[in-house]
């Protein structure tokens, strides 16, 4: 079932009397009307953003539903071999030493030359990593034994052996050439690779996740494994680079049989494990600021975002048309609706949309300053809630501006929440903003400027002194600004400052390995993201990302077709999830490691059309995507290997799960919005790209999702372009403007809400990007070029030290020394002019 076909139940197309009314307008607006009506009262989504979903969910997404028969195959191969070793005993009955002995036996068997025998042994190892599910009664038992077995397998050196086998499979030119020639690639073409990658993924993911009952040896093993994966121990490069090579090889059509979903999941979890997740990033940021002697962060961004509450979406066009029609038919005044609410006769109970919740109104109150200009209010279509005219009723005004204790409930009691006082974020000011403010003030009051001097305030009036004091109180210096300044100093004084000491962090090692082929990696990831996006149309020349989900025999019944359709959609969603999380992690870690490492990845993303790709992704019915039911719970691992399989019917497949939203899809949307924010922040030319690509209506539709974190990143993207969208857009979207004010951090000098002082620079995309590119190349050349600073190599011009240097000569040199001196020195005429000329 396609994501586009999902519909949210229609609510609230009732007239004043509670009767259902016929939709007005032309047929072309019917779908829009359904969408707008369904979004009017969409519920809050109880979603908690994190590095990953639950361990069970992450493990289940490793397997496609078409791989289900292989669980039994793994068990059979294990039991066939284990029966001859254990003589009637079960795995969970063996002692640890006996288990180690058996794993060593499997490790030896992995080295046989016969591919089929090797595959059987690998399947037996996979069964162990999956938790010997045939000997378990519950899902908890499966996860317990899976964890026990994975740490045992790692301790016995299985991962290194699997890595060698994986390298062999990647370089298997015969398998690659036969896959290229095949007209249709199926699950069978990637069997060996899928088994190896599954074991490695289970090992990385299980070891990565901490639990309360971890043994001391497991904690030590986790640190060792983390350091091994992040160090250049595997063929002189980190493990992640081998997986990046698989991605580029697949996208260049040289290995179309590679199981891309498993590769991307393993790559994402490897980066997450070796570099760290969002909480580790926050800790690293705090330590980094201490190292640079910068003041601590004003707040913990993770905690602030988690404490935010979602707001109602802005009214849509069809909703406003309906409201206007209701106004023409005449309705009760706001006074009567307000009296009803005081008497407990809430309009919500009658299903009358009279006093609807303010769109995007976080603090459950009207802005009292809106009454200043009634004419502007009447021209503002979005600000006109159902039945609310521009002029606020005096009774209403009294209640809102000076509420008597206790305040009357304007909403049902369940909606009452204690909100934090004030705005969620501390405002920030950059050094550049203070310089610009003082330059403008000096030009105005004195008639000349003092360059970058931010201390001298002579001749400026007292209010300017107060303004500068306030700006300096909220001044924020980022790690990136310190790194840029340091880089400029190193470029200007290469000899004085000497060599820079570069800390060998996992991010530094990864960047160094990725640098030669960085653009290929970025382009490959974006190609896969485009192929997996629900808005993409199937083309003959596009990449086939379904090779590891399509069975050998295509479905013949309706039920099989439905199951495969769900599996394909789920497969694409998981790929989007992995790529979005991977790109975000790379950007965040490289930015913290060095700003120019972040900038080069960002520039490659921008040049590979990442900005329009993400906007294309959001140009769909986003509510349908987030509430898509592309999963079959009874087929998810480990449920499917423990419980009896019920009979699947078309009705049960259509019903899907009972969840309010799909975790992975909401996670992917937030990640893509965060990536878009990182690419466009403080970049004028890229902000103008958002304007040119008409992103405002696309982003505004995404506000229908009532989840605070997603709304925050949408509002951030809208904020940076509001001044370029024109006064009419701002007037028509006052609810959105109000939400930006309430949720997004303030920059004290930023004129985002009015656009009076629009940056007058022409939109010269090339000049800005070229200047940035030049800085990046200088940084890479200075830090990573092997033949760097040839002109600045120190020359020893001291006669004593040069003559005093020990020169290694052949043993027989002193016998022929006089002959050599005569031939090479005395008999050769000295070209004095030649010595004086430049070489």
């Amino acid at each position: 079932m396609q994501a586009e076909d999902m519909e949210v139940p229609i609510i609230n197309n009732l007239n004043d009397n509670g009767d259902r009314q016929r939709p007005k307008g032309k047929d072309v607006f019917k779908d829009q009307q359904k969408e707008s009506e369904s979004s009017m009262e969409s519920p809050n989504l109880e979603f908690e953003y994190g590095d990953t979903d639950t361990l069970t969910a992450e493990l289940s997404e490793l397997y496609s539903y078409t791989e289900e028969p292989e669980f039994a195959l793994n068990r059979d191969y294990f039991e066939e071999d284990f029966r001859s070793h254990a003589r009637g005993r079960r795995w969970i009955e063996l002692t640890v030493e006996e288990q180690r002995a058996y794993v060593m036996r499997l490790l030896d068997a992995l080295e046989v030359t016969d591919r089929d025998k090797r595959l059987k042994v690998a399947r037996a190892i996979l069964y162990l990593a999956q938790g010997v599910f045939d000997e378990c009664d519950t899902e908890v038992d499966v996860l317990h034994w899976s964890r026990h077995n994975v740490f045992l397998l790692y301790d016995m050196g299985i991962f290194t052996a699997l890595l060698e086998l994986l390298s062999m499979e990647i370089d298997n030119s015969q398998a690659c050439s036969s896959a290229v020639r095949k007209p249709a690639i199926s699950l069978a073409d990637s069997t060996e690779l899928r088994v190896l990658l599954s074991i490695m993924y289970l090992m990385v993911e299980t070891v990565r996740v901490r639990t309360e009952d971890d043994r001391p040896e497991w904690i030590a093993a986790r640190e060792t494994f983390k350091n091994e994966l992040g160090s250049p121990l595997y063929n002189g490069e980190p493990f992640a680079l081998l997986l990046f090579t698989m991605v580029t090889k697949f996208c260049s059509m040289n290995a179309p049989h590679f199981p891309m979903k498993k590769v991307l999941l393993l790559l994402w979890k490897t980066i997450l494990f070796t570099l760290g997740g969002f909480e580790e990033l926050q800790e690293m940021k705090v330590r980094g600021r201490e190292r640079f002697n910068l003041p601590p962060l004003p707040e913990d961004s993770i905690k602030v975002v988690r404490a935010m509450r979602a707001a109602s979406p802005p009214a849509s066009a069809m909703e406003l048309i309906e409201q206007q029609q209701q106004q023409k038919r005449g309705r009760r005044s706001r006074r009567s609706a307000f009296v009803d609410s005081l008497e407990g006769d809430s309009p919500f109970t009658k299903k009358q949309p009279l006093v609807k919740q303010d769109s995007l109104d976080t603090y459950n109150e009207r802005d009292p300053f809106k009454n200043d200009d009634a004419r502007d209010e009447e021209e503002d279509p979005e600000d006109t809630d159902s039945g609310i005219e521009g002029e606020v009723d005096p009774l209403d005004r009294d209640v809102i501006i000076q509420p008597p204790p206790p305040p009357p409930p304007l909403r049902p009691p369940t909606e009452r929440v204690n909100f934090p006082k004030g705005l969620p974020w501390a405002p920030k000011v950059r050094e550049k903003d203070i310089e610009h403010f003082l330059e403008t003030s000096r030009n105005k009051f004195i008639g000349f400027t003092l360059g970058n001097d931010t201390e001298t305030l002579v001749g400026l009036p007292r209010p300017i002194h107060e303004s500068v004091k306030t700006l300096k109180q909220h001044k924020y210096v980022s790690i990136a600004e310190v790194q840029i300044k340091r880089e400029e100093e190193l470029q200007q004084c290469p000899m004085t400052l000497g060599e820079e000491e570069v800390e060998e962090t996992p991010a530094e090692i990864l960047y160094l390995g990725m640098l030669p082929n960085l653009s290929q990696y970025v382009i490959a990831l974006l190609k896969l993201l485009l192929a997996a996006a629900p808005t993409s149309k199937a083309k003959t020349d596009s990449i086939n990302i379904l090779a590891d989900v399509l069975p050998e025999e295509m479905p013949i019944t309706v039920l099989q077709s439905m199951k495969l359709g769900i599996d394909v959609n789920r497969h694409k969603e998981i790929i989007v999830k992995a790529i979005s999380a991977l790109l975000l992690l790379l950007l965040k870690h490289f930015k913290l490691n060095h700003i120019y490492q972040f900038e080069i990845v960002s520039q490659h993303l921008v040049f590979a059309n990442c900005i329009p790709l993400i906007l294309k992704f959001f140009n769909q019915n986003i509510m349908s995507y987030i509430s898509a039911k592309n999963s079959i719970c009874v087929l998810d691992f480990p449920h499917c290997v423990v419980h009896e399989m019920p009979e699947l019917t078309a009705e049960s497949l259509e019903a899907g799960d009972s969840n309010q939203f799909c975790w992975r899809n909401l996670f992917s949307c937030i990640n893509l919005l965060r990536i878009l924010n990182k690419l466009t922040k403080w970049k004028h030319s890229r902000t103008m790209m958002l304007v040119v690509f008409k992103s405002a209506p696309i982003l505004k539709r995404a506000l229908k999702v009532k989840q605070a974190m997603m709304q925050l990143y949408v509002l951030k993207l809208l904020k940076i372009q509001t001044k370029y969208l024109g006064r009419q857009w701002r007037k028509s979207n006052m609810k959105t403007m109000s939400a930006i004010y309430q949720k997004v951090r303030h920059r004290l000098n930023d004129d985002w809400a009015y656009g009076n002082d629009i940056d007058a620079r022409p939109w010269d995309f090339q000049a800005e990007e070229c200047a940035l590119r030049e800085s990046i190349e200088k940084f890479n050349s200075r830090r990573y070029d092997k033949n760097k600073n040839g002109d600045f190599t120190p020359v020893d011009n001291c006669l004593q030290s040069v003559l005093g240097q020990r020169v290694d000569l052949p043993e027989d040199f002193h016998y022929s020394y006089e002959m050599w001196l005569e031939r090479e020195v005395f008999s050769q005429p000295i070209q004095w002019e030649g010595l004086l000329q430049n070489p």
Side-chain angles (χ1 to χ4, degrees):
M1 188 163 50
Q2 296 294 326
E4 290 85 348
D5 296 334
M6 304 298 299
E7 280 191 13
V8 183
I10 297 177
I11 308 169
N12 199 358
N13 58 338
L14 306 170
N15 61 17
D16 295 344
N17 302 319
D19 300 320
R20 187 165 298 279
Q21 59 189 46
R22 293 174 60 84
K24 299 288 181 180
K26 295 182 180 178
D27 291 342
V28 291
F29 294 119
K30 282 184 180 177
D31 292 337
Q32 295 176 24
Q33 187 176 26
K34 283 182 182 179
E35 186 183 334
S36 69
E37 288 170 343
S38 65
S39 70
M40 281 166 65
E41 298 298 335
S42 55
N44 286 309
L45 303 182
E46 297 298 324
F47 170 84
E48 186 171 333
Y49 185 81
D51 294 316
T52 61
D53 202 349
T54 61
L55 178 63
T56 311
E58 293 295 336
L59 295 182
S60 71
E61 289 180 355
L62 175 64
Y63 312 103
S64 302
Y65 295 143
T66 44
E67 290 181 271
E68 185 204 342
E70 296 187 15
F71 290 124
L73 205 58
N74 300 338
R75 180 196 61 209
D76 294 343
Y77 284 137
F78 171 82
E79 289 183 347
E80 179 187 327
D81 184 72
F82 187 68
R83 201 178 296 119
S84 62
H85 175 79
R87 296 190 181 91
R89 295 167 70 196
R90 299 196 304 168
W91 171 264
I92 60 177
E93 294 169 355
L94 300 183
T95 64
V96 175
E97 288 307 315
E98 289 172 325
Q99 290 175 346
R100 291 172 72 90
Y102 180 68
V103 171
M104 184 59 75
R105 185 165 173 260
L106 289 177
L107 190 58
D108 292 339
L110 268 181
E111 297 181 5
V112 297
T113 52
D114 190 329
R115 280 175 67 89
D116 292 335
K117 287 182 181 177
R118 241 186 4 243
L119 179 60
K120 286 183 178 181
V121 175
R123 283 198 179 279
I125 294 171
L126 177 56
Y127 177 70
L128 283 175
Q130 287 170 340
V132 287
F133 48 79
D134 204 46
E135 301 177 21
C136 301
D137 298 323
T138 64
E139 294 179 31
V140 176
D141 290 344
V142 174
L143 294 176
H144 167 78
W145 281 104
S146 172
R147 191 168 188 78
H148 170 85
N149 294 344
V150 159
F151 277 100
L152 180 66
L153 292 172
Y154 171 70
D155 193 37
M156 299 301 293
I158 288 284
F159 192 86
T160 309
L162 294 173
L163 190 62
E164 292 175 8
L165 291 175
L166 182 64
S167 301
M168 284 170 52
E169 287 297 330
I170 292 169
D171 298 332
N172 187 347
S173 56
Q174 185 180 354
C176 292
S177 57
S178 66
V180 168
R181 288 194 300 270
K182 274 194 173 183
I185 302 168
S186 68
L187 209 60
D189 296 299
S190 58
T191 305
E192 290 89 351
L193 280 167
R194 282 187 297 105
V195 170
L196 295 173
L197 289 166
S198 294
I199 304 169
M200 295 170 106
Y201 177 85
L202 287 170
M203 292 181 74
V204 170
E205 179 64 358
T206 306
V207 174
R208 182 190 71 81
V209 176
R210 297 180 179 88
T211 59
E212 294 177 359
D213 56 347
D214 276 353
R215 302 170 195 166
E217 60 268 25
W218 289 2
I219 295 169
R222 177 180 296 114
E223 285 304 311
T224 309
F225 193 25
K226 179 179 176 179
N227 293 333
E228 283 179 8
L229 287 175
S231 304
L233 297 179
Y234 304 108
N235 301 325
E237 59 186 24
F239 175 56
L241 280 181
L242 181 69
L243 300 173
F244 270 120
T245 307
M246 290 185 75
V247 173
T248 50
K249 201 170 179 183
F250 175 83
C251 287
S252 60
M253 306 290 187
N254 292 326
H257 65 298
F258 281 0
M260 256 314 103
K261 185 187 82 172
K262 284 182 168 56
V263 173
L264 290 168
L265 283 172
L266 180 54
L267 177 56
W268 165 36
K269 292 303 170 63
T270 304
I271 299 286
L272 180 61
F273 187 25
T274 54
L275 303 190
F278 300 127
E279 291 189 359
E280 287 96 331
L281 270 163
Q282 188 75 5
E283 292 168 10
M284 288 159 64
K285 197 172 182 181
V286 169
R287 291 198 300 271
R289 292 187 69 80
E290 287 174 359
R291 193 169 66 249
F292 288 118
N293 297 318
L294 295 172
L297 291 164
E299 70 274 294
D300 186 338
S301 55
I302 294 174
K303 290 179 182 174
V304 173
V305 172
R306 281 179 181 164
M308 278 189 175
R309 176 175 170 269
S312 294
S316 64
M318 291 309 300
E319 192 178 331
L320 296 169
I321 291 169
E322 186 185 348
Q323 289 167 9
Q324 288 169 7
Q325 288 167 352
Q326 288 174 350
Q327 287 170 15
K328 286 176 185 175
R329 286 195 297 272
R331 284 169 287 111
R332 297 187 304 165
S333 66
R334 285 196 59 184
R335 183 189 299 272
S336 60
F338 178 69
V339 171
D340 281 354
S341 69
L342 285 178
E343 294 171 356
D345 191 8
S346 171
F348 289 94
T349 58
K350 292 185 177 182
K351 297 187 179 178
Q352 293 171 336
L354 284 171
V355 185
K356 200 180 70 177
Q357 177 183 0
D358 277 349
S359 299
L360 284 167
D361 187 358
T362 304
Y363 292 99
N364 194 13
E365 65 184 9
R366 290 195 176 282
D367 186 353
F369 301 106
K370 287 181 187 173
N371 304 324
D372 294 343
D373 190 350
R375 287 172 304 162
D376 280 359
E377 191 72 26
E378 286 170 2
E379 290 172 6
D380 180 1
E382 188 195 72
D383 231 290
T384 324
D385 278 341
S386 357
I388 301 174
E389 295 296 333
E391 186 66 20
V392 179
D393 191 82
L395 173 63
D396 217 352
R397 186 189 296 126
D398 290 340
V399 170
I400 292 159
I401 299 174
Q402 298 169 350
L410 288 179
R411 289 191 194 165
T414 51
E415 296 254 352
R416 275 290 173 195
V417 184
N418 291 324
F419 297 108
K421 290 185 178 179
L423 298 169
W425 304 100
K428 284 182 181 177
V429 179
R430 295 185 299 169
E431 179 77 22
K432 203 180 291 183
D433 297 331
I434 301 175
E435 290 171 8
H436 179 68
F437 175 74
L438 277 171
E439 184 181 356
T440 309
S441 302
R442 286 174 184 143
N443 272 328
K444 181 178 179 181
F445 293 106
I446 306 173
F448 64 89
T449 61
L450 298 175
N452 296 334
D453 184 353
T454 58
E455 300 301 321
T456 309
L457 301 177
V458 177
L460 296 173
R462 190 69 194 165
I464 300 296
H465 288 234
E466 294 295 328
S467 300
V468 172
K469 182 182 175 184
T470 306
L471 289 173
K472 285 184 177 178
Q473 279 176 352
H474 294 97
K475 180 180 165 185
Y476 176 80
V477 180
S478 66
I479 294 174
E481 289 173 280
V482 177
Q483 289 171 337
I484 290 170
K485 193 173 181 182
R486 173 69 178 163
E487 184 62 28
E488 287 172 357
E489 291 170 357
L490 286 166
Q491 295 287 355
Q492 288 171 357
C493 314
M495 296 176 70
T496 313
L497 296 175
E499 287 288 324
E500 180 192 17
E501 289 186 16
V502 181
E503 189 182 351
E504 288 288 305
T505 60
E508 183 68 31
I509 295 166
L510 180 64
Y511 177 79
L512 189 57
M514 288 178 68
L515 186 58
N517 303 308
L518 188 57
S519 63
Q520 294 175 33
Y521 298 149
V522 167
I523 290 169
L525 288 173
L526 290 183
K527 277 184 177 179
L528 292 169
L529 183 61
L530 176 63
T535 49
S536 297
K537 301 290 182 285
K539 294 179 182 174
T540 51
D541 58 341
S542 63
I543 301 170
N544 177 21
I545 55 171
L546 305 177
D548 52 331
V549 72
L550 296 177
E552 282 186 279
E553 296 178 3
M554 292 307 284
I556 50 174
T557 66
V558 174
L559 188 67
Q560 288 174 342
S561 299
M562 286 181 70
K563 181 181 163 187
L564 183 60
I566 290 171
D567 205 4
V568 165
N569 286 340
R570 174 178 177 267
H571 183 81
K572 289 181 176 180
E573 289 171 4
I574 294 167
I575 287 176
V576 172
K577 172 186 172 181
I579 294 174
S580 63
L582 171 64
L583 286 174
L584 180 61
L585 275 175
L586 288 175
L587 288 173
K588 288 186 79 68
H589 277 284
F590 286 156
K591 186 173 185 181
L592 197 54
N593 199 51
H594 199 289
I595 183 63
Y596 284 133
Q597 295 177 353
F598 161 80
E599 293 291 5
I600 190 170
V601 177
S602 299
Q603 202 164 63
H604 281 307
L605 283 167
V606 171
F607 289 168
N609 285 334
C610 183
I611 292 176
L613 170 56
I614 294 176
L615 293 175
K616 177 184 170 72
F617 180 91
F618 279 98
N619 193 20
Q620 58 170 313
N621 186 341
I622 208 72
M623 280 302 297
S624 292
Y625 184 71
I626 279 166
S627 58
K629 300 285 192 288
N630 290 317
S631 57
I632 308 168
C633 299
V634 293
L635 294 181
D636 283 340
F637 178 87
H639 185 280
C640 63
V641 294
V642 176
H643 301 284
E644 286 285 328
M645 185 64 63
E647 186 182 352
L648 289 175
T649 61
E651 289 74 21
S652 65
L653 290 183
E654 272 189 358
D657 56 25
S658 57
N659 291 335
Q660 194 183 16
F661 58 90
C662 176
W663 196 96
R664 65 173 164 264
N665 289 356
L666 190 45
F667 177 73
S668 302
C669 289
I670 292 174
N671 287 340
L672 291 171
L673 288 168
R674 295 184 77 181
I675 291 166
L676 201 50
N677 266 292
K678 291 209 164 296
L679 296 181
T680 52
K681 189 177 181 181
W682 304 121
K683 301 287 191 301
H684 177 252
S685 58
R686 296 177 193 173
T687 304
M688 293 308 295
M689 285 175 74
L690 289 179
V691 179
V692 168
F693 289 132
K694 295 183 170 54
S695 66
I698 296 171
L699 293 168
K700 201 180 155 195
R701 280 201 298 274
L703 288 173
K704 289 178 181 176
V705 181
K706 288 183 72 174
Q707 203 283 323
M709 192 170 189
M710 183 163 169
Q711 286 183 346
L712 172 67
Y713 289 107
V714 171
L715 292 170
K716 279 187 172 187
L717 287 165
L718 286 170
K719 178 184 174 180
I720 59 174
Q721 52 178 317
T722 45
K723 67 168 86 170
Y724 306 110
L725 295 174
R727 183 168 177 269
Q728 188 55 47
W729 187 92
R730 293 194 292 275
K731 279 182 65 180
S732 303
N733 293 274
M734 286 310 295
K735 296 294 187 201
T736 307
M737 299 290 284
S738 174
I740 292 171
Y741 175 83
Q742 289 168 351
K743 288 182 180 292
V744 182
R745 188 192 301 278
H746 288 273
R747 297 276 172 175
L748 293 184
N749 280 20
D750 190 5
D751 194 17
W752 66 272
Y754 302 99
N756 294 327
D757 184 24
I758 289 183
D759 199 332
R761 286 177 300 165
W763 180 37
D764 193 349
F765 176 83
Q766 239 175 345
E768 193 174 334
E769 295 294 343
C770 285
L772 181 60
R773 185 72 177 186
E774 188 181 358
S775 300
I776 293 166
E777 285 176 354
K778 282 181 181 176
F779 163 76
N780 283 331
S781 173
R782 182 191 62 75
R783 196 188 260 202
Y784 304 111
D785 193 355
K786 299 298 178 191
N787 306 316
K788 60 184 177 183
N789 295 340
D791 296 337
F792 299 113
T793 306
V795 177
D796 189 355
N797 52 12
C798 176
L799 188 63
Q800 285 183 330
S801 66
V802 170
L803 293 178
Q805 287 176 4
R806 183 174 179 81
V807 180
D808 292 328
L809 298 170
E811 290 181 3
D812 58 345
F813 183 72
H814 65 277
Y815 294 120
S816 58
Y817 172 71
E818 291 180 352
M819 290 174 60
W820 177 85
L821 201 62
E822 182 66 36
R823 186 180 70 246
E824 298 293 335
V825 182
F826 297 141
S827 64
Q828 294 289 336
I830 298 173
Q831 301 289 338
W832 297 105
E833 291 83 1
L835 289 173
L836 294 172
Q837 291 172 357
N838 290 326

